[in-house]
Amino acid sequence: MTDALYPFLSAAESDAEPLLDTVTRSTVEKAREIVALRREVLTLFGPRIAACGEALAEAFAGGGRLFAFGNGGSSTDAQAVAHLFLAPGDGHRGLPAMSLTADIALLTALTNDIGFDAVFARQLAALGTGADIAMGISTSGGSVNVVRGLQEAKRLGMVTVGLAGSGGGQLAECGAVDHLLVIPSSSVHRIQEAQATVCHVLWESVQRALDEAA
Amino acid sequence: MTHVLGTSLQERDAAGLALAEDAEPIARACQDVARRFQRGGRLLSFGTGQSAADAAHLAVEFVHPVIVGKRALPAVSLANDASALSGLAHAGVFASQLRLLGRAGDIAVGITIDEAGGEVAAGLAAAHDLGMMTLALTKTGVDLPVVDHLLVARSRDPLIAREIHMTTYHVLWELVHVFLNDPRLTEECPDEVCVTCSDAAVPVRITALRPGHLALADTPDGEEEISVRLVDVRAGDVVLVHAKEAIAVVERRP
């Protein structure tokens, strides 16, 4: 297990290269890896991100709000993307957006009383309307609560966006996602980094589409 | 669209490749963080706006590792508690939390993509005054107080800088574990004497074997690395350890 994750570890022990040099080399490799992945994703998904941006701009123009959600690291990415839409600064327009993991009272109440699988679906049922946008983020594509959230959003008639990695998992198969972007990587960390880029470029395209419509 | 995407791609490439140039300072920061963890330090992260989310992301990486089998390390984001953030605004939200929650041996990680460093800069200054190790993730054009490790994303674009920060803290988490697994990090035991290198023989349970006749042992103070060169053991066995060397097997795993 350790060898597979850190092949340079055992190498360092055998050839006595200082550990600092080996980890420096591995950092260079990781930096190059994400540069290549980001380039691949933006080249591959450029037109789809633009189309998604236009759909979101249309929903915002119609009074829609963005609800973003995910688990763990993806919950922080949902928080970051909601904040970017809400308070972009620098003269950009703020748009109504919130993450569904910010309210601890709601999260604990829903988890305690119903179960964690319902934690996003239930909030969307209560807060959302058919005019809104749901964005679910899952590196594996297999998070049950994220899939259920997107299914509920679809049922309500919302625009649904799904960000996944590792082949897309349930998110790709559930039929509830209007705009699906699957990062072609199996590394959780690289997927999250590329998803952040997708969110940023998507936000730019929403701003641009709203500027053009104004 | 194509043109805009092309421009942002070039900027992203440049910032991403510049990160590779910073590989050595990143590795040095990780080594320093690993040493602090090893001596019982905790990591306290903070940031504002989108970087508040990154502060939480960094903390969850350490507390709940994505790779099964990696040990949980103590890390807390100071940007999560709405009551603290709104209630301490008059006193500096991070500086005041650091003064109350931080200790000299801890690790302060401030993250900012905002050119006015503001609360993050004040937090890093407070952490430095407390004797904590300070690490800052910033971007081009941000003015911060002197910190022990300054890692600057080479872009003025806050969104591109944030993407570089994500890669940086993912690598940070990963390399800290690499350093913690390295016996050379444990050679020096400068502060207090740890359980397994004490001068009395103590029984400990082996949790895992490591290359080079080394093993991880479960001790009351956490996991420590010991030598098993003198004994024939498997994970689960209990050995008597004296000055980092297992000297006898006292219980075989059933």
Side-chain angles (χ1 to χ4, degrees), chain B residues 28-95:
Chain B
R28 288 190 186 284
C30 296
Q31 190 176 34
D32 213 359
V33 171
R35 285 210 177 102
R36 291 279 172 147
F37 273 129
Q38 195 185 34
R39 295 172 197 170
R42 303 158 306 167
L43 186 150
L44 304 174
S45 57
F46 45 97
T48 57
Q50 288 201 84
S51 300
D54 291 318
H57 194 149
L58 173 60
V60 77
E61 294 284 350
F62 280 105
V63 176
H64 179 53
V66 70
I67 294 172
V68 177
K70 290 281 148 203
R71 66 191 261 213
L73 291 165
V76 178
S77 163
L78 303 181
N80 284 335
D81 187 321
S83 300
L85 292 177
S86 54
L88 292 170
H90 62 286
V93 284
F94 304 131

Side-chain angles (χ1 to χ4, degrees), chain A residues 5-6 13 19-20 23-24 27-28 30 35 38-39 42 46 76-77 80 83 189 192-193 196-197 200 208, chain B residues 1 4-5 12-13 16 20 23 28 49-50 53 57 61 67 70 159 162-163 166-167 170 174-175 182 211:
Chain A
L5 293 166
Y6 308 106
E13 277 159 9
L19 187 62
L20 200 63
V23 299
T24 298
T27 302
V28 170
K30 292 204 164 63
V35 165
R38 198 173 276 137
R39 180 166 272 278
L42 287 185
T76 68
D77 295 337
H83 185 78
H189 287 162
Q192 287 173 340
E193 293 156 23
T197 303
H200 293 163
R208 199 174 312 114
Chain B
M1 186 66 204
V4 173
L5 207 54
R12 285 187 159 91
D13 276 7
R28 288 190 186 284
Q50 288 201 84
H57 194 149
E61 294 284 350
I67 294 172
K70 290 281 148 203
L159 299 184
R162 180 169 174 260
E163 294 164 23
M166 287 184 83
T167 304
H170 281 149
E174 193 167 335
L175 295 189
D182 183 54

Side-chain angles (χ1 to χ4, degrees), chain A residues 30-55:
Chain A
K30 292 204 164 63
R32 289 187 180 146
E33 195 185 315
I34 183 59
V35 165
L37 179 64
R38 198 173 276 137
R39 180 166 272 278
E40 181 187 357
V41 163
L42 287 185
T43 308
L44 204 66
F45 296 157
R48 280 160 66 188
I49 296 173
C52 180
E54 277 164 28

